[in-house]
């Protein structure tokens, strides 16, 4: 029984340690420019290579009550130094596959964000609020959401390591198991 108690403590500590990742240094910025030619940039300040970035604007809310979508394809793509950036996707979810997007490198692209109901919508950076960015790195996933910088009009997404929240059943099973171990130990005493 003593071995089971040590095992339970070890599992609890291991579970707790998986939740304690340090924040990453991957930033995606959107200056407050208005209209039809917005430049979005990403900076890799992490210690890992980025292989893909995905933008998801399905949770944004535009002034016309819709959400942001990309109108066509991006233009003026500046790939990371010595690497490439290949566009994929359409609508509210799109992104780039990278080769050699290493530490302290950046990339940027210009694009025309519209609303899902208006192809002539003049988006601003404020329309980006709530949009999520996911970076696939050699250290796993990093995620963040666009938020207002100070009083605006700029927005940024600061990405940090993504740790999935355990499903309620998994947490309940862990707690039930620990409770049973506690009862067994109490009976032994």
């Amino acid at each position: 029984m003593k071995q089971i108690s040590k095992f339970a403590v070890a599992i609890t500590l291991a579970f707790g340690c998986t939740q304690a990742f340090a924040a990453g240094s991957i930033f995606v910025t959107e200056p407050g420019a208005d209209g039809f030619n917005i430049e979005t940039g990403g900076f890799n300040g992490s210690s890992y290579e980025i292989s893909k970035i995905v933008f998801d604007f399905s949770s944004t809310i535009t002034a016309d009550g819709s959400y942001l979508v990309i109108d066509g394809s991006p233009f003026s793509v500046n790939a990371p130094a010595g690497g490439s950036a290949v566009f994929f996707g359409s609508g509210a979810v799109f992104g780039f596959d990278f080769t050699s997007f290493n530490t302290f490198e950046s990339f940027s692209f210009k694009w025309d964000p519209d609303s899902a109901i208006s192809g002539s919508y003049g988006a601003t950076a404020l329309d980006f609020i709530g949009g999520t960015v996911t970076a696939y790195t050699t250290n796993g996933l990093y995620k963040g959401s666009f938020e207002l910088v100070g009083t605006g009009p700029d927005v940024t997404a600061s990405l940090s390591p993504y740790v999935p929240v355990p499903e309620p059943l998994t947490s309940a099973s862990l707690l039930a198991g620990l409770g049973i171990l506690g009862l067994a130990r109490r009976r032994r005493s």
Side-chain angles (χ1 to χ4, degrees):
M1 192 59 150
K2 194 172 189 180
Q3 295 297 337
I4 291 175
S5 295
K6 287 181 183 177
F7 181 69
V9 169
I11 291 209
T12 303
L13 288 173
F15 180 76
C17 290
T18 62
Q19 306 299 316
F21 287 111
S25 298
I26 300 173
F27 300 98
V28 177
T29 58
E30 177 51 54
D34 298 343
F36 306 96
N37 186 2
I38 289 183
E39 184 168 5
T40 303
F43 172 72
N44 185 5
S46 76
S47 302
Y48 310 103
E49 183 175 340
I50 299 174
S51 60
K52 177 189 292 191
I53 286 185
V54 177
F55 295 87
D56 183 349
F57 290 106
S58 59
S59 296
T60 59
I61 300 173
T62 56
D64 63 3
S66 186
Y67 54 89
L68 285 182
V69 296
I70 189 169
D71 183 6
S73 298
F75 48 95
S76 300
V77 176
N78 292 313
S84 65
V86 178
F87 175 75
F88 65 86
S90 63
V93 181
F94 63 89
F96 295 86
D97 287 314
F98 299 103
T99 60
S100 301
F101 191 174
N102 297 311
T103 302
F104 301 128
E105 293 181 344
S106 61
F107 95 105
S108 65
F109 64 100
K110 292 183 180 179
W111 61 300
D112 176 12
D114 289 326
S115 79
I117 58 177
S118 174
S120 61
Y121 184 78
T124 69
L126 297 178
D127 292 315
F128 283 55
I129 295 173
T132 61
V133 183
T134 305
Y136 293 75
T137 76
T138 52
N139 188 44
L141 293 179
Y142 281 62
K143 286 192 169 200
S145 295
F146 281 105
E147 297 176 349
L148 196 60
V149 176
T151 58
D154 298 345
V155 296
T156 189
S158 177
L159 283 59
S160 58
Y162 174 69
V163 180
V165 176
E167 294 182 21
L169 183 58
T170 304
S171 298
S173 298
L174 177 64
L175 290 174
L178 291 173
I180 290 170
L181 287 173
L183 285 173
R185 186 171 186 185
R186 184 174 176 204
R187 283 184 166 204
R188 243 182 132 222
S189 302

